[in-house]
Amino acid sequence: MRLRKIGAVAMVLMGVQQANAATFECQSNVRSAPYSALQQPLVDRFWGETLTYLKEYADALEKPTGACKSSAEALVQTFDPATNGAQRRCITKYRDVELLVKHVRAVLAEPDKAKRCFDLHNGDQDTAVYTPSRAVQSLSPTSSHIGHPLLSDYYRKIGGPIGQAGMELAGNFREIVGNVDSSAHFKRDIGMKGLPTLWSSVGWVPLYADNPDAGDARFRGGYLYAEVMGPWGNLRIKRIDDELVGAEIGMTVQLGNTSYPMHFHHSQEIYMTLTPPQCVRQNRMLLLNWDNDRFQHHRRDRGWTVEMEGRQRDVDRLFVNQDPSDEWLTYMERNAIHAFDTTADCNRTIKPAGLVTAWARTSARDNSQATDICSPPTGYGELVRMRPDEKTVCKLEDWEP
Ligand code: ZN
């Protein structure tokens, strides 16, 4: 009996050792300079909130919802012609999601080893990152210490309708991100109230302000994303146990009354909606696999041209309402075509409107990482809003399996 007990203890210890024996290879551009006694607590606070966010993220993916037994159930198409309705799948059954969860769990199991790949600054020297405003910066001494330039200054310099939308977003950022409600699927508040250092210290990118192909000015000035973990984030792990880490985990904020046109990319993607709508149809999304019958397909050299007519009855059927308690989790397959529309006119808008999501890509280290926007057949401009009679053209490139 005694011997068997010792044997069991030894096996448990071996199991623990095995689980904790991962090798972490940081990306080469992680700054390894030691922090001063004054800086270290600022880094520790940011790191601590990063771990909370990653843990809540992985837990949410693995918590059974819908018809799934050991996984959350994700919307994978808003319209499937086979059933005339939405299509759902158990999200961790996808190999790329399974790997993302495995790598996040490895970080959580050995945080001190993973922390060597954590940096106060981002991994992309070519893209400027920002803090939304002085008010957001003041939420955390870490954010003040990092001292990213302010988006409020950036948008003021741009001016015009793009700058104006950006000023509205930066000025209301605290309130918009403070309005999130993550209680339905997360144990902790993962919004800015719960994790103020994370949301104020992470580097925000005004992704479309400079991109004339990205639809109208209000959307271009009214969209931000940030990356916590991944090749361009703060936690930059290239490999765990010789396996490439494709996980890219962060958050997005889209200003109310904007339309993110249909777009696509090689990496698979996950969105978790955190903002409760002020009216049922306030935040809507479209998600269709590239080979969905709703599109017309034309083969090109190394790609497909995919077209869709914008008939209104289709638009109403193809979009679904996003909500943090109901249609909260979405998974995009490679080259899936998706759009986010926050233009519904709620009769009474009590608070500044914006759509906040926890966001991730799963294959950030293979194929192309570019996001391409679909266009009207006449070319880019102010259109691409899925208006009635408006045709949309998407030029997809093949990916390497
Ligand atoms: Zn996307």
Side-chain angles (χ1 to χ4, degrees):
M1 187 66 195
R2 178 119 182 112
L3 269 176
R4 279 175 61 190
K5 207 169 182 179
I6 289 169
V9 169
M11 274 174 68
V12 167
L13 285 174
M14 274 169 66
V16 168
Q17 202 174 22
Q18 216 167 21
N20 284 348
T23 310
F24 291 78
E25 183 194 329
C26 301
Q27 204 165 288
S28 61
N29 63 359
V30 175
R31 283 166 248 196
S32 53
Y35 293 107
S36 70
L38 278 174
Q39 286 172 323
Q40 195 61 52
L42 304 175
V43 178
D44 293 349
R45 196 185 299 208
F46 191 0
W47 175 239
E49 292 192 12
T50 296
L51 289 177
T52 301
Y53 193 74
L54 294 178
K55 178 180 189 306
E56 290 293 320
Y57 197 88
D59 286 354
L61 289 173
E62 289 195 309
K63 187 178 140 195
T65 58
C68 301
K69 293 214 160 50
S70 56
S71 163
E73 187 181 58
L75 182 71
V76 301
Q77 288 201 97
T78 53
F79 184 82
D80 176 5
T83 61
N84 253 356
Q87 184 186 13
R88 294 182 172 79
R89 283 196 176 153
C90 305
I91 195 164
T92 61
K93 301 285 186 242
Y94 287 98
R95 177 62 180 155
D96 53 299
V97 178
E98 188 188 357
L99 277 176
L100 176 142
V101 172
K102 179 179 148 186
H103 291 151
V104 169
R105 294 283 180 218
V107 169
L108 297 171
E110 296 182 275
D112 290 343
K113 272 158 83 175
K115 195 180 180 185
R116 288 178 213 145
C117 304
F118 184 75
D119 190 329
L120 285 182
H121 294 272
N122 286 65
D124 185 353
Q125 317 298 335
D126 301 327
T127 304
V129 297
Y130 299 85
T131 297
S133 66
R134 190 73 65 199
V136 172
Q137 194 179 60
S138 71
L139 291 175
S140 164
T142 306
S143 181
S144 303
H145 171 74
I146 295 170
H148 289 312
L150 301 179
L151 277 173
S152 44
D153 295 334
Y154 168 81
Y155 287 125
R156 192 177 297 114
K157 264 181 226 145
I158 290 181
I162 296 173
Q164 202 179 346
M167 291 295 287
E168 186 181 328
L169 179 55
N172 291 307
F173 186 92
R174 250 182 103 164
E175 198 162 353
I176 289 168
V177 178
N179 282 344
V180 308
D181 179 0
S182 62
S183 61
H185 296 287
F186 302 87
K187 279 207 193 84
R188 297 270 306 261
D189 178 358
I190 62 162
M192 197 152 70
K193 279 186 192 142
L195 303 172
T197 294
L198 173 67
W199 287 79
S200 63
S201 303
V202 71
W204 290 93
V205 180
L207 189 61
Y208 294 114
D210 278 339
N211 183 346
D213 297 341
D216 72 11
R218 184 168 168 84
F219 168 70
R220 285 177 54 197
Y223 189 81
L224 297 170
Y225 88 100
E227 181 170 326
V228 182
M229 176 180 179
W232 304 280
N234 300 92
L235 176 59
R236 302 195 289 281
I237 306 168
K238 187 165 185 193
R239 287 190 181 83
I240 298 178
D241 286 342
D242 292 330
E243 204 166 55
L244 270 180
V245 176
E248 187 180 11
I249 300 176
M251 48 280 275
T252 71
V253 181
Q254 181 177 339
L255 184 62
N257 193 20
T258 59
S259 184
Y260 192 158
M262 294 209 289
H263 60 285
F264 55 91
H265 36 75
H266 282 163
S267 179
Q268 305 90 335
E269 191 167 53
I270 306 167
Y271 281 94
M272 296 176 184
T273 298
L274 301 178
T275 303
Q278 296 170 29
C279 61
V280 178
R281 290 159 58 85
Q282 186 174 36
N283 301 318
R284 302 193 301 166
M285 68 169 306
L286 168 146
L287 167 59
L288 302 172
N289 289 340
W290 73 272
D291 55 354
N292 191 298
D293 288 351
R294 285 276 134 175
F295 298 113
Q296 293 90 51
H297 302 91
H298 309 285
R299 183 67 187 159
R300 294 194 330 271
D301 185 26
R302 280 174 293 179
W304 288 92
T305 299
V306 174
E307 297 178 353
M308 185 193 268
E309 307 288 342
R311 289 168 298 176
Q312 186 60 41
R313 65 172 185 275
D314 282 340
V315 171
D316 283 340
R317 204 148 59 138
L318 300 179
F319 277 82
V320 302
N321 301 322
Q322 293 176 252
D323 188 298
S325 54
D326 182 20
E327 207 67 91
W328 67 287
L329 177 65
T330 315
Y331 175 83
M332 286 89 182
E333 296 191 5
R334 288 191 186 275
N335 266 350
I337 293 169
H338 46 293
F340 299 94
D341 186 86
T342 66
T343 56
D345 190 16
C346 294
N347 280 341
R348 202 181 292 170
T349 299
I350 305 154
K351 300 168 182 167
L355 171 65
V356 181
T357 76
W359 160 87
R361 288 189 184 182
T362 58
S363 300
R365 295 185 190 272
D366 65 48
N367 282 286
S368 164
Q369 295 303 317
T371 297
D372 286 311
I373 311 256
C374 305
S375 71
T378 48
Y380 293 106
E382 297 286 306
L383 302 165
V384 218
R385 274 202 171 200
M386 298 281 295
R387 291 193 188 106
D389 304 325
E390 187 177 290
K391 190 173 177 175
T392 304
V393 181
C394 312
K395 293 195 169 161
L396 312 179
E397 306 282 338
D398 297 338
W399 69 86
E400 298 290 330

